[in-house]
Coordinates of all heavy atoms in Angstrom, one line a residue:
M159 N 14.0 17.1 14.0 CA 13.4 17.9 15.1 C 11.9 17.7 15.2 O 11.3 17.7 14.2 CB 13.8 19.4 15.0 CG 15.3 19.7 15.0 SD 16.2 19.4 16.5 CE 15.5 20.5 17.6
A160 N 11.5 17.7 16.4 CA 10.0 17.6 16.6 C 9.2 18.8 16.2 O 9.8 19.9 16.2 CB 9.7 17.3 18.1
Y161 N 8.0 18.6 15.8 CA 7.2 19.8 15.4 C 6.7 20.5 16.7 O 6.8 19.9 17.8 CB 5.9 19.3 14.7 CG 6.2 19.1 13.2 CD1 7.0 18.1 12.7 CD2 5.8 20.1 12.2 CE1 7.3 17.9 11.4 CE2 6.0 19.9 10.9 CZ 6.8 18.9 10.5 OH 7.1 18.8 9.1
K162 N 6.3 21.8 16.6 CA 5.9 22.5 17.7 C 4.6 23.2 17.4 O 4.3 23.6 16.2 CB 6.9 23.6 18.0 CG 8.3 23.1 18.5 CD 9.2 24.2 18.7 CE 10.6 23.6 19.2 NZ 11.5 24.7 19.5
I163 N 3.7 23.4 18.4 CA 2.5 24.1 18.3 C 2.6 25.5 18.8 O 3.1 25.7 19.9 CB 1.4 23.3 19.0 CG1 1.2 21.9 18.4 CG2 0.0 24.0 18.9 CD1 0.2 21.0 19.1
T164 N 2.3 26.4 17.9 CA 2.5 27.9 18.3 C 1.2 28.4 19.0 O 0.2 27.7 19.2 CB 2.7 28.7 17.0 OG1 1.5 28.7 16.2 CG2 3.8 28.2 16.1
D165 N 1.3 29.7 19.4 CA 0.2 30.3 20.1 C -1.0 30.6 19.2 O -2.0 31.0 19.7 CB 0.7 31.7 20.6 CG 1.7 31.6 21.8 OD1 1.7 30.5 22.4 OD2 2.4 32.6 22.1
D166 N -0.9 30.3 17.9 CA -2.0 30.4 17.0 C -3.0 29.2 17.2 O -4.1 29.2 16.6 CB -1.6 30.4 15.6 CG -0.8 31.7 15.2 OD1 -1.1 32.7 15.9 OD2 0.1 31.6 14.4
C167 N -2.7 28.2 18.0 CA -3.5 27.1 18.3 C -4.8 27.5 18.9 O -4.8 28.3 19.9 CB -2.8 26.1 19.2 SG -3.7 24.7 19.7
V168 N -5.9 27.0 18.4 CA -7.2 27.2 19.0 C -7.8 26.0 19.7 O -9.0 25.9 20.0 CB -8.2 27.8 17.9 CG1 -7.8 29.1 17.4 CG2 -8.5 26.7 16.8
A169 N -7.0 25.0 19.9 CA -7.3 23.8 20.6 C -8.5 23.1 20.0 O -9.4 22.6 20.7 CB -7.5 24.1 22.1
C170 N -8.5 23.0 18.7 CA -9.7 22.3 18.0 C -9.6 20.8 18.0 O -10.6 20.1 17.9 CB -9.8 22.8 16.5 SG -8.4 22.2 15.5
G171 N -8.4 20.3 18.2 CA -8.1 18.8 18.3 C -7.9 18.1 17.1 O -7.7 16.9 17.1
T172 N -7.9 18.7 15.9 CA -7.7 18.1 14.7 C -6.4 17.4 14.6 O -6.3 16.2 14.2 CB -7.8 19.1 13.5 OG1 -9.1 19.7 13.5 CG2 -7.6 18.4 12.2
C173 N -5.4 18.0 15.1 CA -4.0 17.4 15.0 C -3.9 16.2 15.9 O -3.2 15.2 15.5 CB -3.0 18.4 15.5 SG -3.2 19.1 17.2
M174 N -4.6 16.2 17.0 CA -4.4 15.1 17.9 C -4.9 13.8 17.3 O -4.3 12.7 17.5 CB -5.2 15.4 19.2 CG -5.0 14.5 20.4 SD -5.8 15.2 21.8 CE -5.1 14.1 23.0
G175 N -6.0 13.8 16.6 CA -6.5 12.7 15.9 C -5.7 12.2 14.7 O -5.9 11.0 14.3
E176 N -4.9 13.0 14.2 CA -4.1 12.7 13.1 C -2.7 12.1 13.5 O -2.1 11.5 12.6 CB -3.9 13.9 12.2 CG -5.2 14.4 11.5 CD -5.8 13.4 10.6 OE1 -5.0 12.7 9.9 OE2 -7.0 13.3 10.6
C177 N -2.2 12.4 14.6 CA -0.9 12.0 15.0 C -0.8 10.5 15.2 O -1.5 9.9 16.0 CB -0.5 12.7 16.3 SG 1.2 12.2 16.9
P178 N 0.1 9.9 14.4 CA 0.3 8.4 14.4 C 0.9 7.8 15.7 O 0.8 6.7 16.0 CB 1.1 8.1 13.2 CG 1.9 9.3 13.0 CD 1.0 10.4 13.4
T179 N 1.6 8.7 16.5 CA 2.3 8.2 17.6 C 1.7 8.7 19.0 O 2.2 8.3 20.0 CB 3.7 8.7 17.6 OG1 3.8 10.1 17.7 CG2 4.5 8.1 16.4
G180 N 0.6 9.5 18.9 CA 0.0 10.0 20.1 C 0.9 11.0 20.9 O 0.8 11.1 22.1
A181 N 1.7 11.8 20.1 CA 2.6 12.7 20.7 C 1.9 14.0 21.2 O 2.6 14.8 21.9 CB 3.7 13.0 19.7
I182 N 0.7 14.2 20.8 CA 0.0 15.5 21.1 C -0.9 15.3 22.3 O -1.7 14.4 22.4 CB -0.7 16.0 19.9 CG1 0.2 16.1 18.7 CG2 -1.5 17.3 20.2 CD1 -0.4 16.4 17.4
S183 N -0.8 16.3 23.2 CA -1.7 16.3 24.4 C -2.5 17.6 24.4 O -2.1 18.6 23.9 CB -0.8 16.2 25.7 OG 0.1 17.3 25.8
E184 N -3.7 17.4 25.1 CA -4.7 18.5 25.2 C -4.2 19.6 26.2 O -3.5 19.3 27.1 CB -6.0 17.9 25.6 CG -6.7 17.1 24.5 CD -8.1 16.7 25.0 OE1 -9.0 17.6 25.1 OE2 -8.3 15.5 25.3
G185 N -4.8 20.7 26.0 CA -4.6 21.8 26.9 C -5.2 23.1 26.3 O -5.9 23.0 25.2
D186 N -5.0 24.2 26.9 CA -5.5 25.5 26.3 C -4.8 25.7 24.9 O -5.5 26.1 24.0 CB -5.1 26.7 27.2 CG -5.9 26.7 28.5 OD1 -7.0 26.1 28.5 OD2 -5.4 27.3 29.5
I187 N -3.6 25.3 24.9 CA -2.9 25.2 23.6 C -2.3 23.8 23.6 O -1.7 23.4 24.6 CB -1.7 26.2 23.5 CG1 -2.3 27.6 23.4 CG2 -0.9 25.9 22.3 CD1 -1.3 28.7 23.4
Y188 N -2.5 23.0 22.6 CA -2.0 21.6 22.6 C -0.5 21.6 22.5 O 0.1 22.6 22.2 CB -2.6 20.9 21.4 CG -4.0 20.5 21.5 CD1 -5.0 21.3 22.2 CD2 -4.5 19.3 21.0 CE1 -6.2 20.8 22.4 CE2 -5.8 18.9 21.2 CZ -6.7 19.6 21.8 OH -8.0 19.2 22.0
K189 N 0.1 20.5 23.0 CA 1.5 20.4 23.1 C 2.0 19.1 22.4 O 1.3 18.1 22.4 CB 2.0 20.4 24.5 CG 1.7 21.7 25.2 CD 2.4 21.8 26.6 CE 2.1 23.0 27.4 NZ 1.8 24.2 26.9
I190 N 3.2 19.1 21.8 CA 3.8 18.0 21.2 C 4.9 17.5 22.0 O 5.8 18.3 22.3 CB 4.2 18.2 19.7 CG1 3.0 18.7 18.9 CG2 4.9 17.0 19.1 CD1 3.3 19.1 17.5
D191 N 4.9 16.3 22.4 CA 6.1 15.7 23.1 C 7.2 15.4 22.2 O 7.0 14.5 21.3 CB 5.6 14.4 23.8 CG 6.7 13.8 24.7 OD1 7.9 14.0 24.5 OD2 6.3 13.0 25.6
P192 N 8.3 16.1 22.3 CA 9.4 15.9 21.3 C 10.0 14.6 21.4 O 10.7 14.1 20.5 CB 10.4 17.0 21.7 CG 10.1 17.4 23.1 CD 8.6 17.1 23.3
N193 N 9.9 13.8 22.5 CA 10.4 12.5 22.7 C 9.6 11.4 22.0 O 10.1 10.3 21.8 CB 10.6 12.1 24.2 CG 11.5 13.1 24.9 OD1 12.6 13.4 24.3 ND2 11.2 13.6 26.0
V194 N 8.4 11.8 21.6 CA 7.5 10.8 21.0 C 7.3 11.2 19.5 O 7.0 10.3 18.7 CB 6.1 10.8 21.7 CG1 5.1 9.8 21.1 CG2 6.3 10.4 23.2
C195 N 7.4 12.5 19.2 CA 7.2 13.0 17.8 C 8.2 12.3 16.8 O 9.4 12.3 17.1 CB 7.3 14.5 17.8 SG 7.2 15.2 16.1
I196 N 7.7 11.8 15.7 CA 8.6 11.2 14.7 C 8.9 12.1 13.5 O 9.4 11.7 12.5 CB 8.1 9.8 14.2 CG1 6.7 10.0 13.6 CG2 8.1 8.8 15.4 CD1 6.2 8.7 12.9
D197 N 8.5 13.4 13.6 CA 8.7 14.4 12.6 C 8.1 14.1 11.3 O 8.7 14.3 10.3 CB 10.3 14.6 12.5 CG 10.7 15.9 11.9 OD1 9.9 16.8 12.0 OD2 11.7 15.9 11.2
C198 N 6.9 13.5 11.3 CA 6.3 13.1 10.0 C 5.5 14.3 9.4 O 5.3 14.3 8.2 CB 5.3 12.0 10.3 SG 3.9 12.3 11.3
G199 N 5.1 15.3 10.2 CA 4.4 16.4 9.6 C 2.9 16.2 9.4 O 2.2 17.2 8.9
T200 N 2.4 15.1 9.8 CA 0.9 14.9 9.6 C 0.1 15.9 10.4 O -0.9 16.4 9.8 CB 0.6 13.4 10.0 OG1 1.4 12.5 9.3 CG2 -0.9 13.1 9.8
C201 N 0.5 16.2 11.5 CA -0.2 17.2 12.3 C -0.2 18.6 11.7 O -1.3 19.2 11.6 CB 0.3 17.3 13.8 SG 2.1 17.7 13.8
A202 N 0.9 19.0 11.1 CA 1.0 20.3 10.5 C 0.1 20.3 9.3 O -0.5 21.3 9.0 CB 2.4 20.6 10.1
D203 N 0.1 19.2 8.5 CA -0.8 19.2 7.3 C -2.3 19.3 7.7 O -3.0 19.8 6.9 CB -0.5 17.9 6.6 CG 0.9 17.9 5.9 OD1 1.5 18.9 5.7 OD2 1.4 16.8 5.6
A204 N -2.6 18.7 8.8 CA -4.0 18.7 9.3 C -4.5 20.0 9.9 O -5.7 20.2 10.0 CB -4.2 17.5 10.2
C205 N -3.6 20.7 10.5 CA -4.0 21.9 11.3 C -4.6 23.0 10.4 O -4.0 23.6 9.5 CB -2.7 22.5 12.0 SG -3.1 24.0 13.0
P206 N -5.9 23.3 10.7 CA -6.6 24.3 9.9 C -6.1 25.8 10.2 O -6.4 26.7 9.4 CB -8.1 24.2 10.3 CG -8.0 23.6 11.7 CD -6.8 22.7 11.7
M207 N -5.4 26.0 11.3 CA -4.9 27.3 11.7 C -3.5 27.5 11.2 O -3.0 28.6 11.4 CB -5.0 27.5 13.2 CG -6.5 27.4 13.8 SD -7.6 28.5 13.0 CE -7.0 30.1 13.5
G208 N -2.8 26.5 10.8 CA -1.4 26.7 10.4 C -0.5 26.9 11.7 O 0.5 27.6 11.6
A209 N -1.0 26.4 12.8 CA -0.3 26.6 14.1 C 0.8 25.7 14.4 O 1.4 25.8 15.5 CB -1.4 26.6 15.2
I210 N 1.1 24.7 13.5 CA 2.1 23.7 13.8 C 3.3 23.9 12.8 O 3.0 23.9 11.6 CB 1.5 22.3 13.8 CG1 0.3 22.2 14.7 CG2 2.6 21.3 14.1 CD1 -0.4 20.8 14.7
V211 N 4.4 24.0 13.4 CA 5.6 24.3 12.6 C 6.7 23.3 13.0 O 6.8 22.8 14.0 CB 6.1 25.8 12.8 CG1 5.1 26.8 12.4 CG2 6.5 26.0 14.3
A212 N 7.6 23.1 12.0 CA 8.8 22.3 12.2 C 9.7 22.9 13.3 O 9.9 24.1 13.3 CB 9.6 22.1 10.9
G213 N 10.2 22.0 14.2 CA 11.1 22.5 15.2 C 12.4 22.9 14.7 O 12.8 22.6 13.6
E214 N 13.1 23.6 15.5 CA 14.4 24.2 15.1 C 15.5 23.5 15.9 O 15.4 23.2 17.0 CB 14.5 25.7 15.1 CG 13.5 26.3 14.2 CD 13.4 27.8 14.3 OE1 14.1 28.4 15.1 OE2 12.5 28.4 13.7

């Protein structure tokens, strides 16, 4: 399952630069495209807010 960005996101952009597939897009709260996400967890490891969680 693709990772998801929660409402705890502060749009710092750290995750976007770490995603190897470019699955993350900018916005007030960043979003992960589940069709592009390879479920590697790199974004979650990089997020300083802990705002990225494994999808269900």
Side-chain angles (χ1 to χ4, degrees):
M159 299 295 294
Y161 277 73
K162 296 180 181 182
I163 300 177
T164 68
D165 290 341
D166 293 331
C167 175
V168 296
C170 69
T172 301
C173 60
M174 195 172 187
E176 295 295 323
C177 180
T179 63
I182 301 172
S183 58
E184 289 184 70
D186 292 336
I187 294 176
Y188 282 36
K189 296 191 184 333
I190 298 174
D191 183 339
N193 296 315
V194 180
C195 178
I196 59 171
D197 199 28
C198 68
T200 303
C201 58
D203 292 340
C205 181
M207 300 303 295
I210 303 175
V211 296
E214 298 173 5

